[in-house]
């Protein structure tokens, strides 16, 4: 029964660490600091089960102790009620605004002012060439503030894009990718800023939505 408990608890721990993205933090601290609705509602039970796990995982007298059946039943209940992970199409920002790469920069600036959206897919035809961001625009303006020949009205978006090293930091994912896998992508690449959601994750497909790290916060 002890081994059964530890195996089941491992599944619960995997869920906690996946939704919180804190592999290097103690599980107790992660549980107590979490804002995830499931973890908040079951914090006391999770803390109790974690304490029991610690006894059996680290105590040399494990062969002389046995997990109480009530603890097993409580663990089974939590595992049975784990929330289904949200998928990309539920997390993404819809109604994506995009621009063609040869459009004037002023078009994007007006959109930023009117919509408060700060990043846009830039297309050549139907293919994404990069992401135009307010940070990229600000850097471009700073570099050209003393250039009397620059006219924002006539400057194409391509000029800004080619000078923004972060414009290529995006990935495509399918609309049904679960939250945990999306979180893993951001953890694997701290420089990743934008994820583009398409039907099956192919770059030639229409963009259904955009996900940023802010969309993954509870």
């Amino acid at each position: 029964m002890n081994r059964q408990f530890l195996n089941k608890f491992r599944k619960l721990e995997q869920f906690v660490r996946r939704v919180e993205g804190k592999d290097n933090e103690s599980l107790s601290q992660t549980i107590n600091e979490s804002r995830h609705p499931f973890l908040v509602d079951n914090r006391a039970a999770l803390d109790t089960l974690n304490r029991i796990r610690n006894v059996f995982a680290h105590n040399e007298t494990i062969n002389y102790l046995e997990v109480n059946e009530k603890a097993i039943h409580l663990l089974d209940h939590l595992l049975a009620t784990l929330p289904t992970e949200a998928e990309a199409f539920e997390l993404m920002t819809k109604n994506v605004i995009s621009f063609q790469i040869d459009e004037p920069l002023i078009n994007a600036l007006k959109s930023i002012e009117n919509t408060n959206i700060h990043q846009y897919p830039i297309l050549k035809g139907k293919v994404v060439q990069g992401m135009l961001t307010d940070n990229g625009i600000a850097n471009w303006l700073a570099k050209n503030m003393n250039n009397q020949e620059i006219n924002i009205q006539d400057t194409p978006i391509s000029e800004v894009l080619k000078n923004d090293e972060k414009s290529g930091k995006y990935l495509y994912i399918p609309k049904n990718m679960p939250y945990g896998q999306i979180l893993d992508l951001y953890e694997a690449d701290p420089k990743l800023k934008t994820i583009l959601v398409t039907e099956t994750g192919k770059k030639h497909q229409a963009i259904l939505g955009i996900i940023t790290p802010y969309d993954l916060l509870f």
Side-chain angles (χ1 to χ4, degrees):
M1 185 176 291
N2 295 347
R3 183 54 53 190
Q4 179 187 18
F5 174 86
L6 291 174
N7 288 338
K8 288 184 176 182
F9 188 88
R10 189 172 296 111
K11 295 179 181 179
L12 187 61
E13 181 177 1
Q14 288 173 345
F15 170 81
V16 174
R17 295 202 180 280
R18 187 169 65 246
V19 299
E20 289 297 315
K22 298 179 179 179
D23 291 332
N24 298 321
E25 189 175 271
S26 72
L27 185 62
S28 176
Q29 182 178 353
T30 300
I31 291 171
N32 288 323
E33 294 179 354
S34 174
R35 293 185 295 165
H36 189 289
F38 178 82
L39 302 186
V40 171
D41 292 343
N42 296 283
R43 183 166 286 155
L46 289 165
D47 186 62
T48 297
L49 292 172
N50 185 44
R51 291 172 184 272
I52 295 173
R53 188 283 303 267
N54 289 340
V55 170
F56 287 95
H58 307 298
N59 197 313
E60 294 180 357
T61 62
I62 187 172
N63 293 328
Y64 304 97
L65 300 172
E66 186 169 313
V67 177
N68 188 294
E69 286 190 10
K70 289 183 178 180
I72 293 286
H73 291 156
L74 176 58
L75 180 54
D76 285 339
H77 171 72
L78 290 180
L79 289 173
T81 56
L82 284 180
T84 302
E85 283 191 284
E87 296 183 340
F89 71 91
E90 300 173 82
L91 300 167
M92 67 187 187
T93 298
K94 304 176 180 65
N95 301 321
V96 179
I97 299 174
S98 62
F99 297 97
Q100 290 295 315
I101 195 166
D102 56 357
E103 283 190 60
L105 177 61
I106 191 67
N107 290 1
L109 293 175
K110 288 179 179 178
S111 182
I112 292 174
E113 179 182 11
N114 296 330
T115 67
N116 203 33
I117 294 174
H118 300 283
Q119 54 184 335
Y120 304 89
I122 303 303
L123 312 177
K124 185 175 183 179
K126 296 183 179 180
V127 180
V128 176
Q129 302 298 303
M131 295 296 300
L132 180 68
T133 67
D134 53 358
N135 183 66
I137 294 172
N139 289 338
W140 179 83
L141 289 172
K143 290 178 181 178
N144 292 279
M145 60 186 302
N146 296 320
N147 189 340
Q148 301 297 324
E149 297 180 3
I150 294 295
N151 186 336
I152 293 180
Q153 298 286 344
D154 300 326
T155 299
I157 290 174
S158 58
E159 285 298 313
V160 179
L161 210 61
K162 70 182 183 181
N163 289 295
D164 184 2
E165 60 182 19
K166 296 183 179 180
S167 69
K169 298 303 295 184
Y170 59 91
L171 291 176
Y172 294 90
I173 64 170
K175 68 177 185 179
N176 61 347
M177 180 176 282
Y179 171 90
Q181 291 183 27
I182 299 172
L183 194 63
D184 289 342
L185 292 176
Y186 278 110
E187 291 179 346
D189 185 0
K191 294 183 179 180
L192 178 62
K193 301 299 180 184
T194 309
I195 289 177
L196 304 177
V197 182
T198 64
E199 187 69 25
T200 62
K202 305 297 183 182
K203 65 180 182 180
H204 65 273
Q205 297 173 326
I207 299 172
L208 304 177
I210 291 177
I211 293 178
T212 70
Y214 297 103
D215 297 312
L216 304 183
L217 298 176
F218 288 97

